[in-house]
Amino acid sequence: MSRKTLGYLLILPSAVIIIVVLVYPILYSGYLSFFETFVGPGTLVLTPVGLKNYIETIKNPQWWWAFGRTAYFVLYDILVGMSLGLGIALLLNKEFRLRGIARALVLFPYVLPSIVKALMWKWIYNSDYGFLNGLLFQLGLIKDYIPWLSSPTLAIHMVILANIWEGTPFAIIMYLAALQTIPKELYEASEVDGATPWQMFMKITFRLIKPMTFILIVIKTVATFKIFDLVYALTAGGPGGSTQVVGYLMYSTVFDSLQFGKGAAMSYILLAIILVLVFIYSRLFQMEEA
């Protein structure tokens, strides 16, 4: 047996798993998006409808409201979450006692299962005996307990806060890895030349971590547009649909309304929008580099 044949045999199990778990569902969902589905007793009836599911989704105001809310999540995650991640990474990149323990603690929100984090935040936001109300009341910042998840305006921002807490550790890890690749000699040379800390940050640090910033923006955009479990556990899209994001709308369309074709069409429209956003990001970074 040649080495080439042996190589193909070794990657065959992984290739089969990827095809079964990833490629087949993507292709089948694309196929379903052109059909109207009817679920009967033990059967699934498919009726061809062409582009109807796509057209109805694009014309549906509820879809665009859900998309706008999700984009709001993405904006906060990029501007606030990544800024926090960079700031904390800069602190953790410095030499100090117990730095290893501090780095390990930063990973805590990242390694917890998503549903555990969601339920934890639900208890924190509890209007009767939640930690947040108790803390603010003890500090004298509020006179009455606040129903954080019952107000449309408050609820979406509470979910955003929980999402930032959950996603920031990933930005910290990525930025910390990028910072450790920057040679210390650059800072030493700039200090000799009389550069201020802000000038060193802008001219050295910020410039050299731009590739990582681009990667993080793309990952954050994709991950936040897929947000579902946090919304499902905290608010279930409420109150009054104020926290209904794209992921929850697709879930509701497929599992509550049993409109598998329309749900698949929504997922492909979202994929197309994300690809356009990633293309815009890449062009903006290329223009800035030029």
Side-chain angles (χ1 to χ4, degrees), residues 24 30 37 43 96 106 113 117 121 123 134 178 182 185 189 198 208 232:
Y24 174 73
T37 55
T43 183
F96 60 89
V106 162
K117 289 179 279 192
W121 278 100
W123 281 103
I182 302 175
E185 292 79 6
W198 176 251
L208 295 179
Y232 178 80

Side-chain angles (χ1 to χ4, degrees), residues 25-35 46 54 261 264 268:
I26 290 175
L27 295 177
Y28 186 63
S29 63
Y31 170 76
L32 275 180
S33 67
F34 298 103
F35 290 85
L46 301 178
Y54 290 91
Y268 271 85

Side-chain angles (χ1 to χ4, degrees), residues 105-142:
L105 290 175
V106 162
L107 293 174
F108 178 72
Y110 186 66
V111 298
L112 282 177
S114 296
I115 193 64
V116 172
K117 289 179 279 192
L119 292 175
M120 181 182 74
W121 278 100
K122 191 169 186 177
W123 281 103
I124 291 173
Y125 291 146
N126 189 281
S127 58
D128 296 321
Y129 37 80
F131 170 78
L132 182 58
N133 271 327
L135 176 64
L136 295 178
F137 186 80
Q138 291 295 327
L139 293 174
L141 298 177
I142 58 173

